[in-house]
Amino acid sequence: KQEVTQIPAALSVPEGENLVLNCSFTDSAIYNLQWFRQDPGKGLTSLLLIQSSQREQTSGRLNASLDKSSGRSTLYIAASQPGDSATYLCALANAGGTSYGKLTFGQGTILTVHP
Amino acid sequence: DAGVIQSPRHEVTEMGQEVTLRCKPISGHDYLFWYRQTMMRGLELLIYFNNNVPIDDSGMPEDRFSAKMPNASFSTLKIQPSEPRDSAVYFCASSPGYPDTQYFGPGTRLTVL
């Protein structure tokens, strides 16, 4: 059974810092990996999706990498802003068997960027 | 597009009552998902549909839970009878393909007293 772990559970940084959020997973048989953002009391917003054949994806100040061999993904946020404060979740779409395509979520990292 | 629409946003009910959550997916999306989020268990997939047909309901916790999708623009998740341990945020999501980016609604916060 796929297990997804996100470290750290919470992170507080001053505005302007570059930061890295980590996601590790136990089963490398994945179809894709997604990073989501969740604001308090709201739904999830997809930030980046990396296919299993890709190594990274970039969108603006965000860069996500994927290393299936080591079971790791990172989300890099450059020049953080207070508006980046949210919970960030990674989710893996399983590649095979009865779980094909189903998303397994990590518990999330709560990010606070203070002015 | 208005995105995925869920109603109600908040629901408070008493144990034993029937609860119905509603979802309108993004037009043109063939897949619809129901998730539950709790502090203890995180986000869990309950059931998903393809072209209005339930594909996998293995995440539905008990027979008290049922989901329907009578047409491409509407789905319901029903809990009957409700119990305090059903208290959670229930999300609906839709996607144009599978596996593909999923678009989440704002969620329904359910409290069962």
Side-chain angles (χ1 to χ4, degrees):
Chain A
K1 177 185 175 183
Q2 180 74 272
E3 293 183 5
V4 182
T5 303
Q6 290 189 244
I7 295 173
L11 182 63
S12 181
V13 300
E15 181 177 6
E17 267 202 14
N18 302 325
L19 57 98
V20 175
L21 307 181
N22 298 290
C23 173
S24 62
F25 48 95
T26 55
D27 186 349
S28 62
I30 64 171
Y31 191 87
N32 62 44
L33 182 148
Q34 299 181 58
W35 281 93
F36 290 89
R37 167 184 175 141
Q38 184 174 22
D39 293 283
K42 297 189 177 180
L44 281 69
T45 301
S46 181
L47 298 173
L48 291 164
L49 183 150
I50 309 176
Q51 300 292 352
S52 64
S53 59
Q54 298 175 318
R55 294 301 300 267
E56 65 177 339
Q57 281 285 339
T58 298
S59 176
R61 294 182 295 108
L62 305 179
N63 176 277
S65 67
L66 174 63
D67 184 343
K68 287 199 306 179
S69 62
S70 65
R72 293 181 180 180
S73 175
T74 61
L75 178 66
Y76 174 83
I77 302 176
S80 58
Q81 305 170 356
D84 295 330
S85 299
T87 298
Y88 290 81
L89 299 106
C90 71
L92 287 83
N94 299 301
T98 58
S99 297
Y100 172 70
K102 291 183 183 180
L103 291 183
T104 302
F105 285 84
Q107 290 284 18
T109 293
I110 302 171
L111 173 65
T112 303
V113 181
H114 49 88
Chain B
D1 198 316
V4 176
I5 299 173
Q6 291 187 248
S7 65
R9 293 295 311 277
H10 302 274
E11 178 80 30
V12 180
T13 190
E14 294 191 346
M15 182 174 61
Q17 296 298 306
E18 177 180 295
V19 176
T20 299
L21 312 181
R22 298 173 175 79
C23 175
K24 176 179 170 58
I26 294 173
S27 177
H29 283 192
D30 292 335
Y31 290 85
L32 183 140
F33 307 82
W34 283 100
Y35 289 90
R36 179 171 66 175
Q37 185 177 40
T38 61
M39 288 294 293
M40 289 297 296
R41 300 175 67 91
L43 264 164
E44 302 174 289
L45 176 66
L46 300 177
I47 185 172
Y48 77 94
F49 295 82
N50 177 28
N51 292 325
N52 314 336
V53 176
I55 302 301
D56 189 330
D57 65 354
S58 60
M60 297 284 262
E62 301 172 31
D63 291 343
R64 299 184 295 106
F65 286 70
S66 62
K68 294 182 179 179
M69 192 165 186
N71 57 62
S73 60
F74 184 66
S75 177
T76 61
L77 177 67
K78 184 177 294 186
I79 308 172
Q80 166 64 17
S82 58
E83 297 182 2
R85 59 194 168 116
D86 301 331
S87 297
V89 181
Y90 291 81
F91 288 104
C92 175
S94 68
S95 69
Y98 187 85
D100 202 339
T101 299
Q102 295 184 20
Y103 297 82
F104 281 72
T108 295
R109 181 174 295 277
L110 173 65
T111 302
V112 183
L113 303 174

